Amino acid sequence: MPKDWYEWHDLYKTEPRLQQRLEIVQEFITHSLNASPDGTIRVVSVCAGDGRDLLGTLKNHPRAKDVYARLVELNPQLVERGRATIESLGLAKQIEFVNGDATIASNYVGAVPADIVIVCGVFGNLTDEAQLSRLLDNLRFLSKQGAFVIWTRGHSQGIAHSDTVRRILSASEFAEVNFKLTATGDMGVGIHRYQGENLPQPKEQQLFVFSGVPNRAR
Ligand SMILES: C[S@@+](CC[C@H](N)C(=O)[O-])C[C@H]1O[C@@H](n2cnc3c(N)ncnc32)[C@H](O)[C@@H]1O
C-alpha cells in the first residue's frame, strides 16, 4: 500500500488498470492536440501527479511547441520529477509545474481559459456526488468554449461510477466525444467538449475538496 502520492505513482509499473488508463488518456490528449486549430494550445492539469500523461504525449507530438501548459500538484517530489521531464524535453519555456493547491482558483489565473483540461485521478477522490457536481460546475472557469476535458473515474464494488460522471457532464453543457473502459473493465476514461461559455471569474475560490488518500485511491 502506498504511503503517499509519490509512492502511489509506482503502481504505474505494476497495475494493468493504471497502465491502460494512461494509454487511453494519452490517446485522448493526442486527439485534442490533433483537433486544435493552428496557434497556441493552452492546457491545464488539475492534480497533475508527475505529469506523465501530458508530458509523455508531447514527447512525440508535432504540436508540442504550440502547447502552453500549467500543471498544478501538491506533492513536491512529483513536481520535481515533472520539472526534470520538462527540462529534458526542452519545453521549460512553455510548461509550468506549479507546486500548489489545485483546488484553489487563483492557482490557474493566467493559464485559463484552457483548450485542454486534464482532470485525471481526481473524481474518485471526492467525497460524494455533490462535490463532483461542484467541481464539474467549476470547470466552466478553467475551460474555453469548445475545450476538451479529459477525465478518469474508477469503478468499485461493481458500481460503474463513470456512468454518474457522464450523466452529470451531459446535463451541464459537456458533449461526449469519446469514452472508453480499460481492458480490465473497471476504469472509465472520458473526453468531453465544453459547449457553454467560459466563466471569466470563478464562482468560488475553492473549486472542490480533494479528500482521497493514497492507500485507498479509487
Ligand atoms: C490519483 S493521483 C493522480 C495523479 C495524476 N493526475 C495521474 O493521473 O497520474 C492524485 C494526485 O493529486 C495530488 N493532490 C492531492 N491533493 C491535491 C491538492 N489539493 N492540490 C494539488 N494536488 C493534489 C496528489 O499528490 C496526487 O499526485
Side-chain angles (χ1 to χ4, degrees), residues 37-89:
D38 287 349
T40 299
I41 307 170
R42 289 197 178 277
V43 182
V44 291
S45 180
V46 179
C47 299
D50 60 9
R52 65 182 66 201
D53 43 19
L54 177 64
L55 301 175
T57 308
L58 293 182
K59 191 174 168 187
N60 300 310
H61 200 282
R63 298 293 306 275
K65 288 284 175 193
D66 293 331
V67 170
Y68 283 77
R70 183 175 299 171
L71 297 87
V72 188
E73 166 58 46
L74 209 50
N75 181 295
Q77 287 171 287
L78 290 169
V79 172
E80 195 181 311
R81 190 154 76 191
R83 284 182 182 151
T85 309
I86 292 168
E87 280 289 335
S88 73
L89 295 175

